mmCIF file of all heavy atoms in Angstrom:
data_model
loop_
_atom_site.group_PDB
_atom_site.id
_atom_site.type_symbol
_atom_site.label_atom_id
_atom_site.label_comp_id
_atom_site.label_asym_id
_atom_site.label_seq_id
_atom_site.Cartn_x
_atom_site.Cartn_y
_atom_site.Cartn_z
ATOM 1 N N ASP A 97 114.063 68.922 92.705
ATOM 2 C CA ASP A 97 115.036 68.139 93.377
ATOM 3 C C ASP A 97 115.504 68.747 94.657
ATOM 4 O O ASP A 97 115.787 67.967 95.629
ATOM 5 C CB ASP A 97 116.265 67.941 92.477
ATOM 6 C CG ASP A 97 116.035 66.959 91.301
ATOM 7 O OD1 ASP A 97 115.003 66.387 91.292
ATOM 8 O OD2 ASP A 97 116.924 66.866 90.410
ATOM 9 N N GLN A 134 113.410 89.727 95.954
ATOM 10 C CA GLN A 134 112.335 90.389 95.356
ATOM 11 C C GLN A 134 111.825 89.685 94.048
ATOM 12 O O GLN A 134 112.640 89.283 93.226
ATOM 13 C CB GLN A 134 112.661 91.872 95.036
ATOM 14 C CG GLN A 134 111.573 92.870 94.777
ATOM 15 C CD GLN A 134 110.777 93.214 96.042
ATOM 16 O OE1 GLN A 134 111.370 93.086 97.123
ATOM 17 N NE2 GLN A 134 109.570 93.526 95.833
ATOM 18 N N TYR A 200 124.893 88.204 78.061
ATOM 19 C CA TYR A 200 123.494 88.653 78.138
ATOM 20 C C TYR A 200 122.705 87.806 79.191
ATOM 21 O O TYR A 200 122.894 86.587 79.234
ATOM 22 C CB TYR A 200 122.875 88.545 76.748
ATOM 23 C CG TYR A 200 121.364 88.785 76.791
ATOM 24 C CD1 TYR A 200 120.911 90.113 76.817
ATOM 25 C CD2 TYR A 200 120.485 87.780 76.684
ATOM 26 C CE1 TYR A 200 119.554 90.385 76.822
ATOM 27 C CE2 TYR A 200 119.150 87.944 76.721
ATOM 28 C CZ TYR A 200 118.685 89.276 76.755
ATOM 29 O OH TYR A 200 117.237 89.451 76.827
ATOM 30 N N THR A 215 116.913 96.063 91.467
ATOM 31 C CA THR A 215 117.868 95.220 92.243
ATOM 32 C C THR A 215 118.359 95.897 93.481
ATOM 33 O O THR A 215 118.573 95.248 94.568
ATOM 34 C CB THR A 215 119.068 94.799 91.361
ATOM 35 O OG1 THR A 215 119.721 95.937 90.873
ATOM 36 C CG2 THR A 215 118.603 93.843 90.277
ATOM 37 N N GLU A 324 136.390 95.227 107.201
ATOM 38 C CA GLU A 324 137.047 96.060 106.163
ATOM 39 C C GLU A 324 136.789 95.352 104.766
ATOM 40 O O GLU A 324 137.011 94.177 104.598
ATOM 41 C CB GLU A 324 138.518 96.130 106.370
ATOM 42 C CG GLU A 324 138.926 97.060 107.441
ATOM 43 C CD GLU A 324 138.538 98.536 107.250
ATOM 44 O OE1 GLU A 324 138.709 98.981 106.040
ATOM 45 O OE2 GLU A 324 138.052 99.247 108.159
#
Side-chain angles (χ1 to χ4, degrees):
D97 290 349
Q134 197 71 23
Y200 172 78
T215 55
E324 288 296 322

